[in-house]
Amino acid sequence: MLMATTADELREEVRRRYAESARAVTEGTGECGCGSGACCEGETASADFGESRYTPEQRGELPDAAALASLGCGNPTAIAELHKGETVLDLGSGGGIDVILSAKRVGPTGTVYGVDMTDEMLALAQRNAREAGVQNVHFLKGVIEQVPLPAESVDVVISNCVINLSTDKPAVVTEMARVLRPGGRIGISDVVADDHLSPDERAARGSYVGCIAGALSKSEYEAGLEAAGFEQISVEFTHEVTDGTHAAIVKAVKAPVSDLKALPVIQSDATSACC
Ligand SMILES: C[S@@+](CC[C@H](N)C(=O)[O-])C[C@H]1O[C@@H](n2cnc3c(N)ncnc32)[C@H](O)[C@@H]1O
């Protein structure tokens, strides 16, 4: 139960789960992750997650192992409309699929950073990027609640089915606002719950490490982004994952310099699953 588990224990459980997933891809014994089976504590494999969210053209740009390692619930590279020369940050970069696709979009004058806390995923991503022949990428070990990059250093933050796994979502949103340049944008895929579902009802629909129990509701997401100073916020459901939880596209823009006033400090509650 979430209530009886500390934030550190929960994060360690997430790390272990995705280390196992990276090993399964590396050893060819199948994937596990959000909504998929095998090593995922009874959740059923689902076309809602993974490489099926990418176009055949995009899959053609990827090494097989990168496509196989896809554990996301959407396609943030299709949301973020990346341009040549931009700097992109992928939060929870996993096997590197969105980093590789973004690197091809931003071209050699652009840079893509992937941040992940799981050594096995970082190793897999590095191997996949080498195999894909992209050089404008950097994989950084770290947590998305404390991004190892300076303030105002990126144009776009992307993420694919990771923020629901964070045990401190306000810290993640604050970090996105910190690292983005004024006017920078986010293009995120995530699992999001209907507003009427209580935390217990979310937990009844799927596990935390399986990307369901930790999902924010739509209005929690919107309020968290607004409190961090984001504008033009939209949270759009794309397809249902379980009864009342959905894959969603989350977009927002960091206020340009002229709009940046003293913003309220967001309280960070490490034990809360919600904003
Ligand atoms: C569901 S997988 C998604 C991976 C990738 N985005 C994709 O679409 O395939 C979650 C990834 O996020 C990483 N992760 C989860 N929580 C994290 C955190 N708090 N800080 C950094 N990485 C985290 C895991 O190690 C794992 O690689």
Side-chain angles (χ1 to χ4, degrees):
M1 274 288 289
L2 181 55
M3 300 294 287
T5 312
T6 68
D8 284 350
E9 285 167 347
L10 203 49
R11 180 185 280 171
E12 179 52 22
E13 202 186 323
V14 169
R15 196 201 57 72
R16 249 188 287 118
R17 166 78 157 264
Y18 289 98
E20 189 183 347
S21 179
R23 274 195 297 274
V25 171
T26 306
E27 291 160 12
T29 53
E31 57 165 317
C32 67
C34 296
S36 65
C39 44
C40 294
E41 298 167 350
E43 282 151 25
T44 50
S46 166
D48 294 331
F49 294 89
E51 60 168 318
S52 65
R53 313 311 309 174
Y54 296 84
T55 64
E57 290 73 31
Q58 287 182 311
R59 276 180 285 182
E61 293 178 46
L62 293 163
D64 286 348
L68 265 180
S70 170
L71 298 170
C73 47
N75 179 352
T77 60
I79 304 167
E81 292 172 32
L82 303 177
H83 306 297
K84 296 281 177 222
E86 286 190 316
T87 301
V88 179
L89 165 66
D90 183 13
L91 297 178
S93 43
I97 183 167
D98 295 312
V99 169
I100 295 169
L101 290 172
S102 299
K104 291 181 185 245
R105 296 291 170 281
V106 300
T109 57
T111 305
V112 187
Y113 296 97
V115 170
D116 206 287
M117 66 178 179
T118 306
D119 288 324
E120 291 81 349
M121 278 295 184
L122 289 164
L124 178 61
Q126 260 146 359
R127 222 185 51 210
N128 286 335
R130 263 198 311 278
E131 209 179 307
V134 291
Q135 272 147 20
N136 51 339
V137 301
H138 304 276
F139 292 100
L140 310 173
K141 182 167 181 177
V143 292
I144 62 174
E145 296 82 0
Q146 214 174 347
V147 174
L149 283 175
E152 301 190 0
S153 57
V154 309
D155 300 300
V156 189
V157 174
I158 62 170
S159 184
N160 197 351
C161 224
V162 179
I163 295 175
N164 69 78
L165 293 169
S166 171
T167 52
D168 190 353
K169 294 168 178 73
V172 178
V173 176
T174 303
E175 280 297 82
M176 294 197 296
R178 182 185 68 79
V179 298
L180 275 173
R181 298 193 174 106
R185 60 198 189 279
I186 65 171
I188 288 172
S189 299
D190 206 0
V191 175
V192 177
D194 281 335
D195 283 336
H196 65 83
L197 286 191
S198 68
D200 281 350
E201 287 169 328
R202 295 172 216 178
R205 281 156 175 77
S207 70
Y208 195 92
V209 294
C211 301
I212 307 295
L216 292 172
S217 75
K218 186 171 187 291
S219 28
E220 287 164 349
Y221 232 121
E222 290 164 343
L225 289 167
E226 198 182 341
F230 283 97
E231 300 178 342
Q232 300 172 49
I233 297 163
S234 78
V235 179
E236 260 177 62
F237 295 157
T238 55
H239 53 280
E240 192 167 71
V241 174
T242 67
D243 175 26
T245 69
H246 312 261
I249 291 173
V250 180
K251 292 204 247 183
V253 175
K254 177 172 167 176
V257 178
S258 56
D259 293 5
L260 286 173
K261 318 172 196 85
L263 292 165
V265 175
I266 307 167
Q267 283 303 337
S268 179
D269 173 3
T271 59
S272 165
C274 296
C275 268

